[in-house]
Amino acid sequence: MTDLVVAKFGGTSVADFDAMNRSVDVAMIDENTRVVVLSASAGVTNLLVALADGLEPTERFDKLEALRQIQFNILERLRYPNVIREEIERLLENITTLAEAAALASSTALTDELVSHGELMSTLLFVEILRERGIAAQWFDVRKVMRTSDRFGRAEPDIAALAELTQLQLTPRLAEGLVVTQGFIGSEAKGRTTTLGRGGSDYTAALLGEALNASRVDIWTDVPASTPPTRALPRRQNGSTLSPLPKPPKWRRLAPRYCIRRRCFPRCVAIFRSSLAQQRAESRRHPGVQ
């Protein structure tokens, strides 16, 4: 599929129901977009990382409630929320169990398992929004193809295994509709969940683009719009105009952050890998800084 496009959307671009719909609009502009890679909704990864550090019951409850609120604010705006309610509830229960375990004894493997739930939930919700808009979409667990080392928290992808597994498990799915999958996460040889490190979703998109021989990878970001949408002023019955409506504090729009062409995949993958390596080195020097 030489014209295939991979589109990646970050946390603010899937922060809530409206943001997800804007991202759907952008993804559907190009009919060649066949794979969408998502981050967790904005704020979710930070909450999960905090839970993975091990918290006292009261603080843990507050973080879990904040997570639930983010997910349900999106879920409850679906026309048919019950279609995926059970699955979202199951993932939230998993998070609770893992957070309780982390409070007793944390580990890098447990942290990766816990924080992966952010991307799992955002992609499930995004797929349902697509389906409710009449778009054939399918959820795909990227851990089936993103084989990595077992260096939890800073796993290194196995490029050869990724290429082989992508052709076996992901490529055949492309004929069935738009594929929505996760950035940032993978799995090691024994099937345990790993993460590529903060910012790893861009890396995921580039790796999948290369493995799929895509024509390009579009990495989108959410930015303030320069001007708000046109808003008609209401009129009085006598025809005179009322005072202008108050301007909302922020109008958002999606803008391309990177557009990676096929010929640039090897160089860009190397750049992302180097950037993550530098980030990991910095985090080891300053472990309290995210």
Side-chain angles (χ1 to χ4, degrees):
M1 300 185 71
T2 57
D3 294 329
L4 182 147
V5 174
V6 175
K8 182 265 175 179
F9 298 94
T12 56
S13 302
V14 292
D16 53 35
F17 184 82
D18 293 329
M20 285 192 175
N21 271 286
R22 287 195 298 270
S23 295
V24 170
D25 291 340
V26 169
M28 293 297 97
I29 289 173
D30 190 335
E31 63 182 11
N32 292 315
T33 300
R34 307 305 304 146
V35 177
V36 171
V37 177
L38 300 183
S39 299
S41 297
V44 166
T45 299
N46 287 339
L47 289 167
L48 292 169
V49 168
L51 289 166
D53 287 340
L55 300 174
E56 294 298 320
T58 300
E59 191 174 1
R60 184 167 68 244
F61 176 83
D62 290 342
K63 301 291 186 188
L64 290 168
E65 280 301 301
L67 275 172
R68 174 176 288 273
Q69 193 65 49
I70 292 171
Q71 308 311 314
F72 273 77
N73 283 345
I74 301 171
L75 181 71
E76 296 301 343
R77 290 189 63 185
L78 293 169
R79 287 198 299 273
Y80 307 106
N82 289 339
V83 173
I84 59 168
R85 186 187 301 276
E86 185 175 339
E87 185 63 17
I88 295 296
E89 288 279 14
R90 184 187 67 80
L91 290 170
L92 289 168
E93 288 175 9
N94 285 351
I95 291 170
T96 300
T97 300
L98 291 167
E100 290 170 351
L104 298 175
S106 188
S107 70
T108 53
L110 188 153
T111 296
D112 277 5
E113 179 68 28
L114 205 162
V115 300
S116 71
H117 285 66
E119 280 72 16
L120 298 176
M121 291 189 292
S122 67
T123 47
L124 280 167
L125 291 162
F126 196 84
V127 165
E128 201 55 36
I129 287 173
L130 284 161
R131 289 173 176 169
E132 289 196 350
R133 291 179 56 170
I135 300 164
Q138 52 192 315
W139 185 86
F140 183 79
D141 190 337
V142 78
R143 293 173 295 185
K144 293 181 178 180
V145 299
M146 189 61 69
R147 185 62 49 79
T148 73
S149 67
D150 61 0
R151 296 181 68 192
F152 298 101
R154 53 183 189 275
E156 186 62 40
D158 182 333
I159 305 298
L162 169 62
E164 180 180 356
L165 291 168
T166 295
Q167 293 306 312
L168 288 173
Q169 300 201 47
L170 180 54
T171 299
R173 303 280 294 271
L174 300 178
E176 302 171 17
L178 183 67
V179 173
V180 178
T181 194
Q182 306 79 33
F184 176 60
I185 68 175
S187 66
E188 46 90 73
K190 295 179 181 178
R192 293 177 295 177
T193 298
T194 59
T195 65
L196 307 183
R198 298 297 286 265
S201 291
D202 290 358
Y203 190 20
T204 299
L207 287 166
L208 289 177
E210 184 176 44
L212 289 164
N213 194 32
S215 63
R216 71 176 195 272
V217 173
D218 294 338
I219 297 178
W220 296 87
T221 189
D222 204 50
V223 298
S226 56
T227 56
T230 302
R231 311 178 80 223
L233 298 179
R235 292 186 175 275
R236 303 181 192 275
Q237 289 185 348
N238 63 7
S240 62
T241 305
L242 291 172
S243 300
L245 295 173
K247 180 180 176 181
K250 286 185 180 179
W251 289 100
R252 309 296 296 180
R253 67 180 177 87
L254 283 158
R257 185 180 180 192
Y258 307 113
C259 178
I260 308 171
R261 302 287 178 177
R262 181 185 292 132
R263 66 180 182 276
C264 300
F265 285 157
R267 182 161 59 91
C268 288
V269 165
I271 290 171
F272 284 131
R273 183 186 299 117
S274 175
S275 176
L276 284 170
Q278 291 175 8
Q279 177 182 294
R280 292 162 190 154
E282 186 68 20
S283 67
R284 286 194 292 272
R285 287 194 294 269
H286 306 285
V289 178
Q290 289 293 334

